[in-house]
Amino acid sequence: MTTARRVLIVMGTLVMGYAVTGALTDHDVKFGVLLFLAGVLVLHDGVLLPVMIGLGVLVGRFLPARLHGPVRAALVVNVSVLLVGLPLALGYGRVADNPSVLPRHYGWGLAGILAVTWLVTAIVILVRRRAGSLTPRAEPPARRRGSAG
């Protein structure tokens, strides 16, 4: 393990310890907030993380290697955007007697972000393909008789 990684782990642990200590000792923090944060942690580690790992495995299994990076990046962006934007697009929290709550057409915005993400992904793939086809391939080194390897 590199020194930088160790330093980051220690710093992250200290920051999380400070946050937990602050949340538990602050009298203004309600129990519901702590319960919500615990639920977010469980949902992230128990649902979102396995879904993302599964999508990454499927991309690795069914797509060519040159597409792995761009498609995985697009999936991370899309899942994150869907996680935040889908409740708004579905209208959760909209109140009939208060039109200022969720006043926009969030479904169109969500669809636009998803479309732009995949358009950029397609452009990246095409640019990489074009750049790869323009560069000459290196010849593998010739093997000599009697050399190991």
Side-chain angles (χ1 to χ4, degrees):
M1 185 180 308
T2 65
T3 304
R5 182 174 284 182
R6 288 184 179 133
V7 169
L8 288 172
I9 289 171
V10 169
M11 287 174 48
T13 303
L14 290 173
V15 169
M16 289 304 298
Y18 176 75
V20 169
T21 303
L24 293 176
T25 58
D26 189 356
H27 299 294
D28 293 335
V29 175
K30 308 276 190 277
F31 178 73
V33 172
L34 296 176
L35 188 63
F36 170 76
L37 292 176
V40 166
L41 179 66
V42 168
L43 284 175
H44 176 272
D45 291 352
V47 177
L48 182 63
L49 194 58
V51 166
M52 294 306 298
I53 290 171
L55 287 173
V57 168
L58 289 174
V59 166
R61 181 164 296 179
F62 294 111
L63 293 178
R66 66 183 171 82
L67 300 179
H68 290 178
V71 171
R72 285 178 177 153
L75 285 171
V76 167
V77 170
N78 282 339
V79 169
S80 301
V81 167
L82 281 170
L83 186 66
V84 173
L86 194 58
L88 299 173
L90 295 176
Y92 293 132
R94 185 171 283 133
V95 182
D97 60 346
N98 188 354
S100 66
V101 175
L102 301 176
R104 308 227 186 273
H105 299 288
Y106 295 101
W108 286 108
L110 182 62
I113 289 172
L114 298 177
V116 167
T117 302
W118 286 109
L119 177 65
V120 169
T121 303
I123 291 170
V124 167
I125 290 169
L126 290 174
V127 166
R128 283 186 178 182
R129 180 189 299 180
R130 179 171 293 223
S133 66
L134 294 178
T135 58
R137 292 187 176 197
E139 293 288 326
R143 287 192 152 175
R144 295 183 192 157
R145 287 186 178 200
S147 66

